[in-house]
Amino acid sequence: MTERVQDLDEAELLTRIFAVLGSASAASTLLGPGDDSAIVAAADGRFTISTDLLVEGHHFRRDWSSGYDIGWRAAMQNMADAAAMGARPTALTVGLVLPADTEVAFVQELARGFVDAGGPWALDVVGGDLVAGPCLMVAVTVTGDLGAAPAVLRSGARPGDVLALAGRCGWSAAGLAVLGSGRLDETVTRTHPQVRAVIEAFRRPVAAIAEGVAARPHAHAMMDVSDGLVRDAARIAAASGVSIELREPEIALARDAELLGAVAEFLGDPGLVRAWLLGGGEDHAMLAAFPADAVPAGFAPVGAVKARAGQAPAVTVAGAEPHVRGWDHFRR
Amino acid sequence: MTERVQDLDEAELLTRIFAVLGSASAASTLLGPGDDSAIVAAADGRFTISTDLLVEGHHFRRDWSSGYDIGWRAAMQNMADAAAMGARPTALTVGLVLPADTEVAFVQELARGFVDAGGPWALDVVGGDLVAGPCLMVAVTVTGDLGAAPAVLRSGARPGDVLALAGRCGWSAAGLAVLGSGRLDETVTRTHPQVRAVIEAFRRPVAAIAEGVAARPHAHAMMDVSDGLVRDAARIAAASGVSIELREPEIALARDAELLGAVAEFLGDPGLVRAWLLGGGEDHAMLAAFPADAVPAGFAPVGAVKARAGQAPAVTVAGAEPHVRGWDHFRR
């Protein structure tokens, strides 16, 4: 018989989850789960903190993502919010709302996704909460360590800076488009490695966390791209009081464009490539402004920061005003 | 026309919420909301962290609690998890899942509840997330400052200690019982001040946060009572490897018992008093073990810590094994 969360009490369910999480062992964990609060080290006397929510039917579908994928993505996108400040992620807390008929194995897989996504950062899930509810929801909070250096804000971009991107661009959006197309069958992922790559990028994004942390000494401004290149560049422009001229994305991001081109061809619409590059979010690339002579390895120049002039648009693409919209959670 | 969250985009909704929250101004807030992460001070090189979830239909009903009440309770129960370590709450993050037809005024009231509950602690809501979803859910994370002192864990109770309680006991459970009884009408809260008091205690609990912070230098063990005196005393007993002998609660907590007696009389069942005192949670009283000569003002002795002997029960009440069960979220 399939074991479901309604078959266990809370203590038993926690035991199953901790069997996956293992004991808290990260150097930054001073006290792990089990008391009223956890205790986390903050050697330089402060810490970064950020919270994300993922809701079934809005951020993920269980027929498109496994428990492992959902845990992985929740951890990854939250850690990206620490890295986007230049901070090394130090701890996670996780709140799970679980329908009573959720399989215990699914919850354990979700925990395993958290463990694996956080693995390279040697951080623990130091606390959380489990409650019953009408649909699956994941609430994640991440803390980060700035290593005694100033944080990298969105507001520091200066005219003359190079805007550059580290990580993937458009992959997750392309993967979502393939899943939504209904054109996926068992053979496609064997015959089309690019299609397989973008589906995996949607399910288990690999945020540019190491690049964000490494950029801290050099970047004037940074954020992670969660709502698309144009929309997030506009946020840096607004926060910094500058304009941003994006280069033609199919040239600036030629390697992404090549891979996305194969996926667009599979879907029969070459115009998708540009839309994915400019509007696709959730790859959690790092978008940062650097002095022109200090763009670190791993960052590809995608544009230039200019002084804001009168009625000029905040963001242009190859000299023209772009026509893409990002995601909005509420507006219908 | 009533304005609903689906009528606004995310930026506009945030503007309405920040109109209530005000600008981040707490001394512990080094960077408030608006960037990828917030930054919070942690002067002694570490911080406490805890996360709670509240889900509509499970933790609250909108016909029994206003938006203000829900925000207040979410903040209060989370801050109690910091105080239960002996930590002063320093920052909150809030994730809100909102059905699209939620009234904007309701969300603003919820924010106002957060502000007022956190008011005495001069802390900010430093970050969060807003997403659409099928039911109202609130995810709260609190961080705390231990002021360079050791944290007070659940595991430090020693034989010979006095177990003592600060704050209310049974009030919230009594308030819930009145709301569930269907016997409330407009006149009752005028004619029965005790009934009004317990309903307010359910809607807007006042956790013993100051008492928890002040107990830090003296307490050997501490937790906040969220699942009832017996169940939470058993947690201290288990973590500390001791037994706990609770006194007769109607004597040890005579003032609570008197107030609850009037409510039980209103409901026509005097036996409820003992059940509320032993099993009622969510008042977020502080339950702590102290050396016998160091019980601070504000704490009432409720029991004694004894060495764990063989097959003896972890918790007794007036010498007998108690028959109360706490709340479990999953088991049906």
Side-chain angles (χ1 to χ4, degrees), chain A residues 174-198:
Chain A
L176 180 63
V178 172
L179 288 168
S181 72
R183 296 183 55 180
L184 199 62
D185 62 42
E186 281 183 11
T187 64
V188 171
T189 55
R190 280 203 304 275
T191 57
H192 292 70
Q194 302 93 342
V195 170
R196 187 175 62 235
V198 297

Side-chain angles (χ1 to χ4, degrees), chain A residues 54 105 183 222 234 274:
Chain A
L54 286 84
R183 296 183 55 180
M222 185 157 59
R274 189 180 169 87

Side-chain angles (χ1 to χ4, degrees), chain B residues 72-85:
Chain B
W72 174 287
R73 198 205 307 179
M76 191 62 76
Q77 75 173 50
N78 205 227
M79 291 192 298
D81 283 325
M85 310 297 286

Side-chain angles (χ1 to χ4, degrees), chain B:
Chain B
M1 201 188 75
T2 304
E3 196 176 43
R4 299 180 188 276
V5 299
Q6 70 202 15
D7 302 325
L8 304 180
D9 65 21
E10 195 175 339
E12 288 165 14
L13 183 56
L14 281 170
T15 301
R16 304 298 177 88
I17 292 173
F18 283 114
V20 176
L21 295 179
S23 60
S25 60
S28 52
T29 305
L30 304 179
L31 179 71
D35 216 297
D36 293 278
S37 297
I39 307 178
V40 179
D44 80 347
R46 69 210 158 122
F47 58 92
T48 69
I49 186 165
S50 173
T51 290
D52 277 323
L53 296 175
L54 286 84
V55 179
E56 181 173 12
H58 293 256
H59 300 92
F60 60 83
R61 291 168 48 158
R62 281 199 244 183
D63 53 340
W64 287 355
S65 296
S66 68
Y68 182 87
D69 297 340
I70 295 163
W72 174 287
R73 198 205 307 179
M76 191 62 76
Q77 75 173 50
N78 205 227
M79 291 192 298
D81 283 325
M85 310 297 286
R88 181 179 57 82
T90 53
L92 294 166
T93 67
V94 183
L96 288 181
V97 179
L98 300 171
D101 65 352
T102 308
E103 294 183 14
V104 173
F106 177 92
V107 181
Q108 291 185 299
E109 279 302 289
L110 199 148
R112 200 165 64 82
F114 264 92
V115 169
D116 286 357
W121 300 98
L123 49 64
D124 292 316
V125 175
V126 297
D129 199 5
L130 286 176
V131 301
C135 76
L136 185 65
M137 193 202 73
V138 187
V140 198
T141 297
V142 67
T143 60
D145 184 330
L146 288 160
V152 184
L153 308 186
R154 297 179 181 184
S155 53
R158 304 171 201 172
D161 281 352
V162 170
L163 193 75
L165 186 110
R168 300 163 171 176
C169 189
W171 294 34
S172 178
L176 181 62
V178 172
L179 288 168
S181 72
R183 297 182 54 180
L184 200 62
D185 62 41
E186 281 182 13
T187 64
V188 171
T189 55
R190 279 204 304 274
T191 57
H192 293 68
Q194 301 93 340
V195 170
R196 186 175 65 235
V198 296
I199 291 172
E200 286 179 1
F202 166 78
R203 289 179 171 152
R204 295 182 298 282
V206 178
I209 294 171
E211 291 84 348
V213 176
R216 186 177 59 210
H218 313 291
H220 287 159
M222 185 159 58
M223 68 181 296
D224 78 296
V225 179
S226 50
D227 292 329
L229 184 57
V230 167
R231 191 164 175 174
D232 286 333
R235 290 184 168 132
I236 288 180
S240 299
V242 297
S243 290
I244 288 176
E245 296 180 358
L246 291 173
R247 299 169 58 195
E248 187 60 64
E250 287 166 278
I251 297 167
L253 299 165
R255 278 197 293 188
D256 294 306
E258 184 184 345
L259 178 124
L260 297 176
V263 180
E265 191 181 327
F266 170 73
L267 292 178
D269 181 358
L272 289 169
V273 173
R274 189 180 166 88
W276 289 333
L277 288 172
L278 291 176
E282 310 221 315
D283 289 306
H284 304 290
M286 293 293 147
L287 184 65
F290 298 99
D293 59 353
V295 180
F299 278 84
V302 294
V305 179
K306 304 285 178 178
R308 187 72 170 267
Q311 302 300 312
V315 174
T316 56
V317 178
E321 205 162 347
H323 297 282
V324 290
R325 284 198 59 193
W327 171 255
D328 197 286
H329 290 296
F330 291 104
R331 178 90 78 173
R332 284 192 168 166

